[in-house]
PDB file of all heavy atoms in Angstrom:
ATOM      1  N   PRO S 171     -44.951   6.459 -25.088  1.00 98.00           N
ATOM      2  CA  PRO S 171     -46.205   5.708 -24.874  1.00 98.00           C
ATOM      3  C   PRO S 171     -45.992   4.353 -24.192  1.00 98.00           C
ATOM      4  O   PRO S 171     -46.917   3.823 -23.574  1.00 98.00           O
ATOM      5  CB  PRO S 171     -46.743   5.513 -26.296  1.00 98.00           C
ATOM      6  CG  PRO S 171     -46.105   6.594 -27.103  1.00 98.00           C
ATOM      7  CD  PRO S 171     -44.748   6.814 -26.493  1.00 98.00           C
ATOM      8  N   LYS S 172     -44.789   3.799 -24.298  1.00 98.00           N
ATOM      9  CA  LYS S 172     -44.534   2.483 -23.685  1.00 98.00           C
ATOM     10  C   LYS S 172     -44.042   2.605 -22.238  1.00 98.00           C
ATOM     11  O   LYS S 172     -44.017   1.617 -21.504  1.00 98.00           O
ATOM     12  CB  LYS S 172     -43.509   1.702 -24.511  1.00 98.00           C
ATOM     13  CG  LYS S 172     -44.039   1.385 -25.911  1.00 98.00           C
ATOM     14  CD  LYS S 172     -43.133   0.491 -26.719  1.00 98.00           C
ATOM     15  CE  LYS S 172     -43.776   0.253 -28.093  1.00 98.00           C
ATOM     16  NZ  LYS S 172     -42.968  -0.591 -28.967  1.00 98.00           N
ATOM     17  N   LEU S 173     -43.627   3.813 -21.858  1.00 98.00           N
ATOM     18  CA  LEU S 173     -43.024   3.975 -20.526  1.00 98.00           C
ATOM     19  C   LEU S 173     -44.072   4.448 -19.520  1.00 98.00           C
ATOM     20  O   LEU S 173     -43.996   5.534 -18.954  1.00 98.00           O
ATOM     21  CB  LEU S 173     -41.809   4.902 -20.621  1.00 98.00           C
ATOM     22  CG  LEU S 173     -40.668   4.249 -21.435  1.00 98.00           C
ATOM     23  CD1 LEU S 173     -39.540   5.226 -21.705  1.00 98.00           C
ATOM     24  CD2 LEU S 173     -40.148   2.983 -20.739  1.00 98.00           C
ATOM     25  N   VAL S 174     -45.030   3.565 -19.301  1.00 98.00           N
ATOM     26  CA  VAL S 174     -46.158   3.839 -18.403  1.00 98.00           C
ATOM     27  C   VAL S 174     -45.758   3.469 -16.966  1.00 98.00           C
ATOM     28  O   VAL S 174     -44.697   2.867 -16.752  1.00 98.00           O
ATOM     29  CB  VAL S 174     -47.390   3.004 -18.850  1.00 98.00           C
ATOM     30  CG1 VAL S 174     -47.836   3.436 -20.246  1.00 98.00           C
ATOM     31  CG2 VAL S 174     -47.078   1.517 -18.824  1.00 98.00           C
ATOM     32  N   PRO S 175     -46.586   3.807 -15.977  1.00 98.00           N
ATOM     33  CA  PRO S 175     -46.275   3.377 -14.602  1.00 98.00           C
ATOM     34  C   PRO S 175     -46.060   1.864 -14.540  1.00 98.00           C
ATOM     35  O   PRO S 175     -46.797   1.092 -15.173  1.00 98.00           O
ATOM     36  CB  PRO S 175     -47.525   3.802 -13.821  1.00 98.00           C
ATOM     37  CG  PRO S 175     -48.047   4.982 -14.588  1.00 98.00           C
ATOM     38  CD  PRO S 175     -47.774   4.662 -16.030  1.00 98.00           C
ATOM     39  N   GLY S 176     -45.035   1.461 -13.818  1.00 98.00           N
ATOM     40  CA  GLY S 176     -44.715   0.037 -13.701  1.00 98.00           C
ATOM     41  C   GLY S 176     -43.729  -0.455 -14.741  1.00 98.00           C
ATOM     42  O   GLY S 176     -43.249  -1.583 -14.657  1.00 98.00           O
ATOM     43  N   SER S 177     -43.417   0.395 -15.730  1.00 98.00           N
ATOM     44  CA  SER S 177     -42.489  -0.023 -16.788  1.00 98.00           C
ATOM     45  C   SER S 177     -41.045   0.215 -16.358  1.00 98.00           C
ATOM     46  O   SER S 177     -40.784   0.858 -15.335  1.00 98.00           O
ATOM     47  CB  SER S 177     -42.771   0.760 -18.073  1.00 98.00           C
ATOM     48  OG  SER S 177     -42.496   2.134 -17.863  1.00 98.00           O
ATOM     49  N   SER S 178     -40.121  -0.311 -17.175  1.00 99.00           N
ATOM     50  CA  SER S 178     -38.691  -0.106 -16.930  1.00 99.00           C
ATOM     51  C   SER S 178     -38.016   0.353 -18.211  1.00 99.00           C
ATOM     52  O   SER S 178     -38.415  -0.042 -19.312  1.00 99.00           O
ATOM     53  CB  SER S 178     -38.024  -1.402 -16.474  1.00 99.00           C
ATOM     54  OG  SER S 178     -38.608  -1.853 -15.268  1.00 99.00           O
ATOM     55  N   ALA S 179     -36.979   1.170 -18.044  1.00 99.00           N
ATOM     56  CA  ALA S 179     -36.165   1.621 -19.174  1.00 99.00           C
ATOM     57  C   ALA S 179     -34.708   1.336 -18.860  1.00 99.00           C
ATOM     58  O   ALA S 179     -34.251   1.580 -17.739  1.00 99.00           O
ATOM     59  CB  ALA S 179     -36.365   3.118 -19.407  1.00 99.00           C
ATOM     60  N   VAL S 180     -33.990   0.808 -19.858  1.00 99.00           N
ATOM     61  CA  VAL S 180     -32.565   0.514 -19.693  1.00 99.00           C
ATOM     62  C   VAL S 180     -31.755   1.523 -20.503  1.00 99.00           C
ATOM     63  O   VAL S 180     -32.081   1.790 -21.668  1.00 99.00           O
ATOM     64  CB  VAL S 180     -32.252  -0.930 -20.152  1.00 99.00           C
ATOM     65  CG1 VAL S 180     -30.744  -1.161 -20.256  1.00 99.00           C
ATOM     66  CG2 VAL S 180     -32.873  -1.935 -19.192  1.00 99.00           C
ATOM     67  N   VAL S 181     -30.716   2.084 -19.886  1.00 99.00           N
ATOM     68  CA  VAL S 181     -29.783   2.973 -20.579  1.00 99.00           C
ATOM     69  C   VAL S 181     -28.421   2.286 -20.572  1.00 99.00           C
ATOM     70  O   VAL S 181     -27.846   2.065 -19.495  1.00 99.00           O
ATOM     71  CB  VAL S 181     -29.699   4.343 -19.877  1.00 99.00           C
ATOM     72  CG1 VAL S 181     -28.630   5.218 -20.525  1.00 99.00           C
ATOM     73  CG2 VAL S 181     -31.057   5.043 -19.899  1.00 99.00           C
ATOM     74  N   ILE S 182     -27.919   1.952 -21.760  1.00 99.00           N
ATOM     75  CA  ILE S 182     -26.606   1.301 -21.857  1.00 99.00           C
ATOM     76  C   ILE S 182     -25.579   2.353 -22.262  1.00 99.00           C
ATOM     77  O   ILE S 182     -25.700   2.967 -23.327  1.00 99.00           O
ATOM     78  CB  ILE S 182     -26.625   0.152 -22.885  1.00 99.00           C
ATOM     79  CG1 ILE S 182     -27.737  -0.850 -22.567  1.00 99.00           C
ATOM     80  CG2 ILE S 182     -25.259  -0.535 -22.943  1.00 99.00           C
ATOM     81  CD1 ILE S 182     -27.873  -1.987 -23.590  1.00 99.00           C
ATOM     82  N   GLY S 183     -24.577   2.580 -21.399  1.00 98.00           N
ATOM     83  CA  GLY S 183     -23.546   3.592 -21.669  1.00 98.00           C
ATOM     84  C   GLY S 183     -23.967   4.938 -21.124  1.00 98.00           C
ATOM     85  O   GLY S 183     -24.675   5.688 -21.790  1.00 98.00           O
ATOM     86  N   THR S 184     -23.537   5.255 -19.899  1.00 98.00           N
ATOM     87  CA  THR S 184     -23.993   6.499 -19.266  1.00 98.00           C
ATOM     88  C   THR S 184     -22.887   7.555 -19.318  1.00 98.00           C
ATOM     89  O   THR S 184     -22.496   8.113 -18.305  1.00 98.00           O
ATOM     90  CB  THR S 184     -24.488   6.245 -17.827  1.00 98.00           C
ATOM     91  OG1 THR S 184     -23.448   5.617 -17.084  1.00 98.00           O
ATOM     92  CG2 THR S 184     -25.710   5.380 -17.833  1.00 98.00           C
ATOM     93  N   GLY S 185     -22.403   7.804 -20.542  1.00 98.00           N
ATOM     94  CA  GLY S 185     -21.430   8.866 -20.794  1.00 98.00           C
ATOM     95  C   GLY S 185     -22.149  10.161 -21.119  1.00 98.00           C
ATOM     96  O   GLY S 185     -23.183  10.478 -20.514  1.00 98.00           O
ATOM     97  N   GLY S 186     -21.613  10.897 -22.108  1.00 98.00           N
ATOM     98  CA  GLY S 186     -22.181  12.196 -22.474  1.00 98.00           C
ATOM     99  C   GLY S 186     -23.672  12.105 -22.762  1.00 98.00           C
ATOM    100  O   GLY S 186     -24.486  12.800 -22.152  1.00 98.00           O
ATOM    101  N   LEU S 187     -24.063  11.258 -23.694  1.00 98.00           N
ATOM    102  CA  LEU S 187     -25.487  11.125 -24.037  1.00 98.00           C
ATOM    103  C   LEU S 187     -26.263  10.388 -22.951  1.00 98.00           C
ATOM    104  O   LEU S 187     -27.373  10.771 -22.585  1.00 98.00           O
ATOM    105  CB  LEU S 187     -25.660  10.373 -25.370  1.00 98.00           C
ATOM    106  CG  LEU S 187     -25.591  11.202 -26.661  1.00 98.00           C
ATOM    107  CD1 LEU S 187     -24.191  11.770 -26.901  1.00 98.00           C
ATOM    108  CD2 LEU S 187     -26.026  10.385 -27.869  1.00 98.00           C
ATOM    109  N   GLY S 188     -25.679   9.305 -22.449  1.00 98.00           N
ATOM    110  CA  GLY S 188     -26.413   8.421 -21.549  1.00 98.00           C
ATOM    111  C   GLY S 188     -26.788   9.075 -20.228  1.00 98.00           C
ATOM    112  O   GLY S 188     -27.879   8.833 -19.708  1.00 98.00           O
ATOM    113  N   HIS S 189     -25.897   9.926 -19.682  1.00 98.00           N
ATOM    114  CA  HIS S 189     -26.234  10.531 -18.384  1.00 98.00           C
ATOM    115  C   HIS S 189     -27.347  11.565 -18.548  1.00 98.00           C
ATOM    116  O   HIS S 189     -28.067  11.854 -17.602  1.00 98.00           O
ATOM    117  CB  HIS S 189     -24.991  11.079 -17.666  1.00 98.00           C
ATOM    118  CG  HIS S 189     -24.662  12.520 -17.921  1.00 98.00           C
ATOM    119  ND1 HIS S 189     -24.167  12.968 -19.125  1.00 98.00           N
ATOM    120  CD2 HIS S 189     -24.781  13.618 -17.137  1.00 98.00           C
ATOM    121  CE1 HIS S 189     -23.978  14.286 -19.046  1.00 98.00           C
ATOM    122  NE2 HIS S 189     -24.351  14.703 -17.848  1.00 98.00           N
ATOM    123  N   VAL S 190     -27.489  12.099 -19.773  1.00 99.00           N
ATOM    124  CA  VAL S 190     -28.646  12.977 -20.035  1.00 99.00           C
ATOM    125  C   VAL S 190     -29.904  12.122 -20.234  1.00 99.00           C
ATOM    126  O   VAL S 190     -30.980  12.467 -19.748  1.00 99.00           O
ATOM    127  CB  VAL S 190     -28.390  13.883 -21.257  1.00 99.00           C
ATOM    128  CG1 VAL S 190     -29.594  14.796 -21.500  1.00 99.00           C
ATOM    129  CG2 VAL S 190     -27.125  14.719 -21.054  1.00 99.00           C
ATOM    130  N   ALA S 191     -29.749  10.985 -20.907  1.00 99.00           N
ATOM    131  CA  ALA S 191     -30.901  10.093 -21.132  1.00 99.00           C
ATOM    132  C   ALA S 191     -31.549   9.683 -19.807  1.00 99.00           C
ATOM    133  O   ALA S 191     -32.779   9.662 -19.686  1.00 99.00           O
ATOM    134  CB  ALA S 191     -30.463   8.855 -21.917  1.00 99.00           C
ATOM    135  N   VAL S 192     -30.713   9.370 -18.824  1.00 99.00           N
ATOM    136  CA  VAL S 192     -31.248   8.982 -17.507  1.00 99.00           C
ATOM    137  C   VAL S 192     -32.133  10.106 -16.960  1.00 99.00           C
ATOM    138  O   VAL S 192     -33.256   9.876 -16.491  1.00 99.00           O
ATOM    139  CB  VAL S 192     -30.090   8.674 -16.522  1.00 99.00           C
ATOM    140  CG1 VAL S 192     -30.608   8.551 -15.094  1.00 99.00           C
ATOM    141  CG2 VAL S 192     -29.345   7.404 -16.944  1.00 99.00           C
ATOM    142  N   GLN S 193     -31.636  11.343 -17.072  1.00 99.00           N
ATOM    143  CA  GLN S 193     -32.404  12.480 -16.533  1.00 99.00           C
ATOM    144  C   GLN S 193     -33.686  12.721 -17.322  1.00 99.00           C
ATOM    145  O   GLN S 193     -34.730  13.055 -16.749  1.00 99.00           O
ATOM    146  CB  GLN S 193     -31.537  13.740 -16.573  1.00 99.00           C
ATOM    147  CG  GLN S 193     -30.301  13.616 -15.692  1.00 99.00           C
ATOM    148  CD  GLN S 193     -29.424  14.858 -15.790  1.00 99.00           C
ATOM    149  OE1 GLN S 193     -29.846  15.950 -15.460  1.00 99.00           O
ATOM    150  NE2 GLN S 193     -28.193  14.674 -16.231  1.00 99.00           N
ATOM    151  N   LEU S 194     -33.615  12.544 -18.645  1.00 98.00           N
ATOM    152  CA  LEU S 194     -34.818  12.725 -19.471  1.00 98.00           C
ATOM    153  C   LEU S 194     -35.872  11.691 -19.090  1.00 98.00           C
ATOM    154  O   LEU S 194     -37.064  12.011 -18.978  1.00 98.00           O
ATOM    155  CB  LEU S 194     -34.461  12.600 -20.957  1.00 98.00           C
ATOM    156  CG  LEU S 194     -33.543  13.701 -21.502  1.00 98.00           C
ATOM    157  CD1 LEU S 194     -33.075  13.348 -22.910  1.00 98.00           C
ATOM    158  CD2 LEU S 194     -34.262  15.057 -21.502  1.00 98.00           C
ATOM    159  N   LEU S 195     -35.428  10.454 -18.892  1.00 99.00           N
ATOM    160  CA  LEU S 195     -36.376   9.400 -18.508  1.00 99.00           C
ATOM    161  C   LEU S 195     -37.022   9.717 -17.169  1.00 99.00           C
ATOM    162  O   LEU S 195     -38.230   9.530 -16.986  1.00 99.00           O
ATOM    163  CB  LEU S 195     -35.663   8.043 -18.470  1.00 99.00           C
ATOM    164  CG  LEU S 195     -35.333   7.481 -19.853  1.00 99.00           C
ATOM    165  CD1 LEU S 195     -34.246   6.411 -19.770  1.00 99.00           C
ATOM    166  CD2 LEU S 195     -36.596   6.913 -20.511  1.00 99.00           C
TER     167      LEU S 195
END
Side-chain angles (χ1 to χ4, degrees):
K172 296 186 180 179
L173 293 172
V174 297
S177 65
S178 299
V180 168
V181 175
I182 305 177
T184 56
L187 274 67
H189 92 289
V190 181
V192 168
Q193 297 178 61
L194 294 171
L195 287 161

